[in-house]
Amino acid sequence: MKTWIDSLRREHHLPREIYHQLLTCQDADTIAYLHHQAREVALNQFGNKIYIRGLIEISNCCRNDCYYCGIRKSNINVTRYRLSKEQILDCCREGYELGFKTFVMQGGEDRAQSVDWLVDVISEIRRLYQDCAITLSLGEMQRNDYERLYQAGANRYLLRHETYDEEHYAKLHPGEMTANYRQQCLRWLKEIGFQTGTGIMVGSPFQTIDNILDDIQFIEELQPQMIGLGPFIPHHDTPFAQHQAGSIETTLKLLSIFRLMFPSILLPSTTALASLGLDGRLRGILAGANVVMPNLSPKDTRKNYELYNNKASLGAEAAEGLKLLNQQLSTIGYEISMERGDYKK
Ligand code: SAM
């Protein structure tokens, strides 16, 4: 297996059956070797610096009803909120003072925050913080809406494809949502010029190894600039409440595989990984991740953006906890970078 891992590092590609063997491999030595190679590649690309992004959860209202998600439309137990323009600008001001150079606006598909409104908010952030990147993670739209957001000054867009396989996608989403449209959105985003991120939940209900192999192939074809990977974690008020959380180990393997496939990709060690295990974030970095996304949302709304059980939003997961984050990173020899951290080939 080690020879294959060397080959992945050199050629950035493996035959499908070898990815399969890597994903099912239980040999501790081989897995440690995989992580070590990925970590070396990340260190060569970025040094021991971890980029930070300030996450602003702008609304938990959503028109969609994804079976896995805590803020799905049918969950009547959620206290719904949407941030005002002023609240978002306050978050940006606070983040900028803390040293953030990227603001990530994420939310449900909340049509009350119209494209006109988003254009106004983005234009204002762009005017006030010309040296910052603006990332959006606001779900599916039409092509011309994405174009307007880009023209207003947004630079990056995160939209996980969730799963490539149509049948698996249909087990995770109601009929009006399709894998095909989501993948189309990703192609548009890339064509428009966004630095584009996609990704999956690892261990989502009914996911097979073959599904993950299709995801690897899709990501290879799409050539995104960012990949968001986190374990699925059940939420108590969803149809998947009784399903098991995804595996940390498989998530870490995939982080390493993607680092070796795409040496310069921006790869977050996600909140979901940090939420499952105390050392999850650090293990993600040691497997080749190079980004973390601390929470910059107003403190009183964080608890209402509960996508899954026990989602971390405090301590080192919070923007105000940067010092703690830096301390944690230093225990494994890393530190926060205050650079904007754009994708560079
Ligand atoms: N509405 C936007 C979208 O669809 O991309 C952004 C918000 S959505 C809540 C962000 C991501 O959260 C999804 O892409 C999904 O992968 C992740 N997510 C939702 N529920 C989750 C769960 N139970 N466990 C892990 N990740 C989850």
Side-chain angles (χ1 to χ4, degrees):
M1 255 354 255
K2 289 185 181 170
T3 318
W4 282 116
I5 295 169
D6 292 341
S7 158
L8 178 59
R9 180 171 177 172
R10 222 177 28 248
E11 316 285 340
H12 315 301
H13 176 82
L14 287 177
R16 187 176 170 105
E17 60 274 18
I18 307 297
Y19 287 126
H20 193 296
Q21 284 182 33
L22 266 181
L23 287 170
T24 48
C25 169
Q26 300 283 348
D27 178 58
D29 227 32
T30 309
I31 297 169
Y33 188 75
L34 173 70
H35 295 326
H36 183 82
Q37 295 304 310
R39 184 158 73 244
E40 260 186 21
V41 168
L43 280 167
N44 287 343
Q45 291 286 329
F46 308 102
N48 68 340
K49 301 285 195 294
I50 300 298
Y51 294 139
I52 50 167
R53 322 298 197 196
L55 181 64
I56 309 171
E57 294 157 338
I58 66 169
S59 170
N60 71 353
C61 304
C62 192
R63 65 177 178 150
N64 292 330
D65 222 10
C66 311
Y67 303 143
Y68 46 82
C69 185
I71 61 168
R72 65 198 297 266
K73 176 172 69 179
S74 301
N75 185 359
I76 52 168
N77 296 324
V78 179
T79 307
R80 303 283 172 177
Y81 73 87
R82 58 177 63 94
L83 300 188
S84 65
K85 174 180 175 182
E86 290 65 36
Q87 283 176 302
I88 295 172
L89 291 175
D90 281 348
C91 295
C92 293
R93 187 176 333 108
E94 191 187 324
Y96 195 75
E97 281 165 11
L98 288 166
F100 284 89
K101 294 279 187 298
T102 296
F103 305 119
V104 182
M105 287 165 57
Q106 188 183 88
E109 292 193 12
D110 180 1
R111 290 305 178 250
Q113 290 180 331
S114 66
V115 175
D116 283 345
W117 180 85
L118 286 168
V119 163
D120 179 49
V121 176
I122 293 165
S123 309
E124 188 64 3
I125 301 176
R126 175 53 59 238
R127 189 181 71 75
L128 291 169
Y129 305 103
Q130 292 175 16
D131 55 335
C132 291
I134 302 173
T135 305
L136 304 178
S137 175
L138 300 170
E140 298 174 20
M141 297 187 192
Q142 293 176 354
R143 183 183 175 126
N144 69 317
D145 294 333
Y146 288 140
E147 277 167 357
R148 292 184 60 206
L149 301 178
Y150 185 76
Q151 279 153 15
N155 321 85
R156 307 178 187 152
Y157 205 104
L158 304 174
L159 183 78
R160 291 184 179 176
H161 69 281
E162 313 294 4
T163 179
Y164 174 79
D165 181 75
E166 259 174 68
E167 278 174 32
H168 183 223
Y169 193 90
K171 290 180 183 163
L172 304 180
H173 303 93
E176 60 273 17
M177 297 178 74
T178 67
N180 203 18
Y181 189 75
R182 208 159 172 94
Q183 292 158 22
Q184 179 60 67
C185 288
L186 282 161
R187 289 191 199 94
W188 286 334
L189 289 163
K190 273 206 81 185
E191 281 164 22
I192 291 166
F194 281 101
Q195 289 177 44
T196 303
T198 192
I200 63 167
M201 283 174 295
V202 180
S204 58
F206 317 111
Q207 184 184 59
T208 63
I209 297 280
D210 250 328
N211 293 147
I212 301 182
L213 298 176
D214 287 345
D215 293 324
I216 292 177
Q217 193 176 334
F218 170 70
I219 290 174
E220 194 168 31
E221 279 158 23
L222 182 71
Q223 294 279 319
Q225 284 85 25
M226 303 173 272
I227 302 176
L229 288 176
F232 160 76
I233 304 176
H235 181 285
H236 54 92
D237 275 330
T238 62
F240 292 160
Q242 302 309 325
H243 283 258
Q244 279 206 339
S247 136
I248 297 191
E249 284 69 28
T250 309
T251 308
L252 296 173
K253 275 188 196 167
L254 278 167
L255 284 172
S256 294
I257 289 173
F258 284 122
R259 170 60 66 213
L260 295 174
M261 287 174 72
F262 306 102
S264 54
I265 199 114
L266 298 164
L267 198 56
S269 186
T270 52
T271 304
L273 200 49
S275 300
L276 264 194
L278 276 182
D279 56 353
R281 188 199 349 268
L282 300 184
R283 289 177 74 190
I285 288 163
L286 293 173
N290 73 314
V291 175
V292 294
M293 297 169 67
N295 199 315
L296 248 190
S297 309
K299 280 170 216 63
D300 56 336
T301 63
R302 285 183 202 170
K303 62 180 178 310
N304 296 324
Y305 198 83
E306 197 196 21
L307 306 180
Y308 42 81
N309 296 338
N310 305 316
K311 175 169 161 277
S313 65
L314 299 173
E317 200 56 42
E320 65 278 8
L322 277 192
K323 218 170 130 196
L324 181 60
L325 175 62
N326 228 351
Q327 276 168 11
Q328 289 186 356
L329 291 176
S330 73
T331 63
I332 54 166
Y334 287 75
E335 63 185 33
I336 288 172
S337 159
M338 285 303 178
E339 282 173 35
R340 178 172 139 140
D342 281 294
Y343 175 80
K344 293 188 203 93
K345 186 106 183 102

